Amino acid sequence: MEKKQTVNPDYVVIKAIEDGVNVIGLTRGTDTRFHHSEKLDQGEVMIAQFTEHTSAIKIRGHAKIMTPFGEMESEKK
Ligand code: TRP
């Protein structure tokens, strides 16, 4: 039998449009907490997946986000 796929193969691309964009990974499971925060400066790109450890991604700051569902921009507060 085939091994169960634990990582979604899709990627999320985040491109910072301003300095200091935060990409925050939130844990999978019964408690939802931050487990990783990555700071991006303008023009920097992070390519990430949802994994067995990461169920949600929060983005703070102005960034372009590309997912298999479409493109969007987060706004600066
Ligand atoms: N160690 C984390 C994981 O495997 C790395 C990670 C994956 C991550 N996707 C992320 C961190 C999204 C922040 C945002 O889940």
Side-chain angles (χ1 to χ4, degrees), residues 25-29 31-32 35 49-57:
L26 295 122
T27 55
R28 190 177 294 282
D31 69 318
T32 306
H35 69 72
Q49 285 172 300
F50 291 94
T51 69
E52 58 179 313
H53 304 297
T54 304
S55 68
I57 299 170

Side-chain angles (χ1 to χ4, degrees), residues 7 12 14 23-26 35-38 46-58:
V7 177
V12 175
I14 301 129
V23 179
I24 299 156
L26 295 122
H35 69 72
H36 185 90
S37 180
E38 190 70 31
M46 182 162 167
I47 304 164
Q49 285 172 300
F50 291 94
T51 69
E52 58 179 313
H53 304 297
T54 304
S55 68
I57 299 170
K58 173 174 170 173

